[in-house]
Amino acid sequence: MREEQRRSESAVPETQEAAINARNALVGGGSAGIGYAVAEQLLRSGHRVVITGRRAEQLGSAALRLGGDTGGTVHALVNDVSEPKSAAAALDEVESRYGALDVLVLNAGGPPPGRVLDVEDERWQRAFELLLLGPLRLARLALPRMAARGFGRVVFVTSAAVRQPQPDLATSVVLRAAVTAAAKLLSREFAAEGITVNCVAPGATATERRREILDARARITAVAFEDLDAADAAGIPAGRAARPEEIGAAVTFLASAAAGYINGTVLTVDGGRTETI
C-alpha cells in the first residue's frame, strides 16, 4: 500500500500548476485513441478523471493502465452517450466519487465512413445521437452547475474535416459542423461565469479510427492500404499523422486555468494540412 502511494505521489508532479489543475474531469471515449490520450494528459497534469465508453472490458483495462502509468486518480464508467439517460448518470458518477465536475471533454468515436447521399436515414439518426444530441445533453446538465461555481472547461473534440471536408466522411463533417456551431453559442452564453467552451479539431491521427477509414477507402478504390497510408501522410505538411498524445496535449491546455481567456474557438491540430487561413 505504501509503495503504491509513493508511486502515485511521484507520478503526479507537486507543482503549483498541478495544484491548480487538480480538478475533476469527465472524458468521453476514454478507452482508446484520442480519448485515452486526453485522459492520460489530464491525469499527468493533476486532474482526477472519469473515463466513459460503451465496452466494459476495454474501459476497465484502460483505467488500470492509466492509473498505473500516471499514478493519478481514474475511474471507468460504462456509459453510452447516445442514450438519453446517459448524461445524468455520467454526472452523478463524477459527483458521487470526486465532487463537482470541472472539466468536460466531449469526445466520441466517429461513425462509419460514407458519402453524403449514400448514408441511410438510420445511420444519420445514430450519428446524430452520438455526435450532437448526446454531447448537448451532457452540456445542458453540466454548464449551469459549472456557472453556479464560477469555473468550467468544456472541450468538444471534432475534426479538421469540418473546415476541409472529406467526401467519404459525410456524417462526421455535417454533424461536427453543427457541434462547432453549438459550441460557439455555448461559449457566448456562459463566458461571464468563468466557463470556456472550445473545440479541438484533429486531423489525421494514428488511431484505430484512421485505420478504419483507410481500410474503407482501400475496399472501394482497390488501392493497397499501404499506398493510401503513404499518400495520406504525403498530403500533410508535417509528413505524418498526429500522435494521439499531441491531441491530448491540446485538449489539456484548453482545460487548464492558463487558457481562461480562450473561448469559442477551434484549435485545429492537423500538422498544417488545412489549407484555409
Side-chain angles (χ1 to χ4, degrees), residues 8 56 75 87 95-96 99 101 103-105 139 150 155 170 174 185 203 206 216 233 241 254 259:
S8 174
H75 175 69
E95 292 177 351
S96 67
L101 178 66
V103 176
L104 175 60
V105 180
V155 182
V174 171
L185 292 172
L254 290 177

Side-chain angles (χ1 to χ4, degrees), residues 39-260:
E40 182 176 25
Q41 297 283 342
L42 287 170
L43 286 163
R44 292 193 185 283
S45 66
H47 291 77
R48 296 170 290 269
V49 176
V50 171
I51 57 172
T52 68
R54 291 177 292 178
R55 297 176 178 86
E57 185 175 350
Q58 292 183 3
L59 200 64
S61 296
L64 287 174
R65 291 197 310 274
L66 286 166
D69 290 345
T70 68
T73 302
V74 58
H75 175 69
L77 170 66
V78 178
N79 187 277
D80 184 352
V81 70
S82 66
E83 291 295 327
K85 295 181 180 180
S86 67
L91 288 182
D92 288 346
E93 182 72 15
V94 174
E95 292 177 351
S96 67
R97 287 190 171 273
Y98 305 143
L101 178 66
D102 303 299
V103 176
L104 175 60
V105 180
L106 294 161
N107 171 67
R115 299 179 72 89
V116 67
L117 296 182
D118 295 334
V119 179
E120 304 89 352
D121 287 359
E122 185 179 351
R123 284 175 58 195
W124 277 112
Q125 187 62 44
R126 288 200 302 268
F128 173 72
E129 291 282 349
L130 175 69
L131 298 181
L132 180 60
L133 191 54
L136 284 179
R137 290 190 192 105
L138 267 167
R140 185 185 302 130
L141 290 177
L143 280 161
R145 302 182 193 187
M146 292 176 174
R149 299 189 306 275
F151 179 90
R153 297 286 184 267
V154 179
V155 182
F156 290 85
V157 179
T158 59
S159 171
V162 169
R163 296 183 61 199
Q164 191 156 312
Q166 298 184 36
D168 59 345
L169 300 179
T171 48
S172 180
V173 170
V174 171
L175 293 170
R176 283 179 164 141
V179 168
T180 304
K184 186 67 173 180
L185 292 172
L186 290 171
S187 73
R188 295 177 63 85
E189 186 168 346
F190 289 93
E193 278 74 43
I195 297 171
T196 66
V197 182
N198 293 290
C199 296
V200 168
T205 307
T207 63
E208 185 60 31
R209 165 69 173 168
R210 180 171 182 265
R211 173 169 286 278
E212 290 173 358
I213 292 169
L214 293 178
D215 276 338
R217 290 175 184 171
R219 289 192 299 270
I220 292 170
T221 63
V223 176
F225 176 91
E226 293 74 14
D227 294 336
L228 289 172
D229 185 17
D232 187 58
I236 303 170
R240 62 174 177 85
R243 296 185 295 273
E245 58 266 28
E246 292 174 311
I247 312 301
V251 173
T252 299
F253 168 66
L254 290 177
S256 71

